[in-house]
Amino acid sequence: MRQTEKNWTSVKYFVLLGLSDNANQQAGLFALFLAMYLTAIMGNALIVAVIIRDLHLHTPMYFFLGNLSFVDICFTSAIAPRMLKDMLSEVRTIPFHSCFAQLYAFFCTGSTEAYLLAVMAFDRYIAICNPLRYTSVMSRSLCISLVCGSWVVMNMHSLLHIGIVSNFEFCGSNLIRHFFCDLPPLLKLVCSDTTSYEWVIFIEGSLVSMSPFLFIIGSYVYIIYRILKIQSAEGRQRAFSTCSSHLTVVTLFFGSIFFAYIRPISANALDQEMVVTVMYTIVTPMLNPFIYSLRNNDVKSAMKKLVCKRLHGLE
């Protein structure tokens, strides 16, 4: 009986249903998302290049921003290229191992971004609440350790989940009602018992997912309390301006994730999830460079210098 079941549940590939099954919409969607993806790549790459080249931006805050932009490039690249390819394909199949490779990249880069946002909140907390100790606390070694630690921990977190899910037995339909290999639609295709894994998601997944968000909230409670104690209105405004870009990115990123995964289940839950997933996998990485550059005079000035040097170099 077990041998028959094993043969019956063998899956070699999955079929991604995509954002839309309307053939007339594919060309328009492809052009839209290609433009958004290229904007995200070029915008974040420009941020990284500016921070590397401008010595005035070699500070902890911009070191973390450069790493966030790099993670955004990796995060959106884990999803967008295959999605764009599938929009031009009649058959949207993805091999079994490629599906889990994509899920791993999505888990790892998305979780690392969440932890980098928490690290950036810690940086702002030290800068505003303990300005005299900022240089000694936010040392180069600590900054590198925080970034590397985020990557290492999130790699372990991602490998844990991929190792468990990839060993499940899949049966029945191999159709994934999504535009990439995400965990919720994949688990709907599992025919073996997932009770133990659901406890893993609840305990380990919730701890890993919620800890950076709760840390950010706690940091900003102290930051806002300290800002409100500043006597001058100009000083309060300057302090708030240093946090506004980060708070905007945090709101976009965590807000869309919580809406996608933490909400009452409804008949069109997966359709809603796909729309919101587009928000934090493509739209947010595209907007982040604009959010940080438009409200930051140092970044804008460094960008102008870099562009001017490039233009003069072409003359």
Side-chain angles (χ1 to χ4, degrees):
M1 175 67 180
R2 295 190 65 83
Q3 182 66 34
T4 303
E5 181 181 347
K6 189 73 175 178
N7 293 336
W8 175 53
T9 58
S10 177
V11 172
K12 302 296 183 184
Y13 63 89
F14 296 101
V15 178
L16 297 168
L17 297 184
L19 282 171
S20 173
D21 55 2
N22 188 334
N24 297 326
Q25 296 178 348
Q26 297 305 311
L29 288 173
F30 176 83
L32 173 63
F33 286 111
L34 177 62
M36 294 170 67
Y37 175 61
L38 293 177
T39 302
I41 295 297
M42 291 187 292
N44 284 289
L46 181 59
I47 292 286
V48 173
V50 164
I51 291 173
I52 290 175
R53 292 178 65 89
D54 196 310
L55 296 178
H56 294 94
L57 301 183
H58 288 190
T59 63
M61 181 176 72
Y62 294 112
F63 173 74
F64 296 135
L65 175 57
N67 278 276
L68 180 69
S69 294
F70 173 73
V71 171
D72 271 332
I73 292 173
C74 298
F75 185 41
T76 193
S77 295
I79 306 299
R82 175 165 284 276
M83 180 184 71
L84 292 169
K85 172 183 172 295
D86 288 342
M87 286 179 178
L88 300 179
S89 305
E90 294 183 4
V91 181
R92 302 166 183 172
T93 60
I94 181 170
F96 183 90
H97 292 98
S98 296
C99 180
F100 286 99
Q102 184 183 55
L103 183 60
Y104 164 77
F106 170 70
F107 269 0
C108 185
T109 54
S111 300
T112 301
E113 174 151 354
Y115 273 72
L116 280 179
L117 290 172
V119 167
M120 294 173 76
F122 174 70
D123 174 73
R124 291 299 84 204
Y125 165 78
I126 298 297
I128 293 174
C129 298
N130 295 282
L132 298 179
R133 297 184 57 204
Y134 180 77
T135 303
S136 60
V137 173
M138 300 305 297
S139 63
R140 179 178 177 82
S141 59
L142 177 63
C143 293
I144 294 174
S145 297
L146 289 172
V147 172
C148 292
S150 298
W151 277 106
V152 171
V153 173
M154 291 307 100
N155 265 282
M156 295 171 62
H157 162 72
S158 304
L159 288 172
L160 169 67
H161 288 274
I162 297 303
I164 295 174
V165 179
S166 62
N167 283 295
F168 281 141
E169 294 179 345
F170 293 85
C171 57
S173 173
N174 63 348
L175 301 178
I176 297 178
R177 193 182 173 190
H178 215 312
F179 59 88
F180 77 102
C181 289
D182 198 6
L183 187 59
L186 264 177
L187 289 180
K188 291 182 177 294
L189 307 181
V190 174
C191 60
S192 52
D193 184 22
T194 61
T195 303
S196 298
Y197 179 59
E198 289 171 4
W199 278 105
V200 172
I201 295 176
F202 179 74
I203 299 173
E204 190 272 347
S206 297
L207 178 64
V208 170
S209 302
M210 292 299 297
S211 55
F213 177 72
L214 294 177
F215 181 84
I216 292 170
I217 295 298
S219 297
Y220 272 104
V221 168
Y222 284 101
I223 289 172
I224 292 172
Y225 173 75
R226 180 58 64 93
I227 290 175
L228 293 178
K229 294 180 68 175
I230 298 175
Q231 298 298 322
S232 68
E234 182 182 352
R236 288 195 299 270
Q237 184 177 3
R238 191 185 315 114
F240 272 121
S241 67
T242 64
C243 302
S244 59
S245 298
H246 180 253
L247 275 174
T248 302
V249 172
V250 166
T251 302
L252 286 173
F253 183 77
F254 283 102
S256 54
I257 287 180
F258 290 158
F259 185 83
Y261 296 107
I262 306 176
R263 69 192 191 286
I265 298 174
S266 61
N268 60 342
L270 282 176
D271 292 333
Q272 294 176 1
E273 180 185 326
M274 283 194 288
V275 173
V276 179
T277 303
V278 168
M279 180 68 187
Y280 69 84
T281 57
I282 299 177
V283 176
T284 299
M286 178 190 70
L287 293 178
N288 284 355
F290 296 100
I291 293 171
Y292 277 106
S293 61
L294 292 178
R295 298 181 63 88
N296 190 304
N297 291 327
D298 292 335
V299 174
K300 285 192 290 187
S301 176
M303 283 184 174
K304 290 177 182 178
K305 291 179 183 177
L306 181 61
V307 172
C308 288
K309 285 182 180 179
R310 291 294 183 183
L311 291 176
H312 285 112
L314 295 175
E315 291 178 356

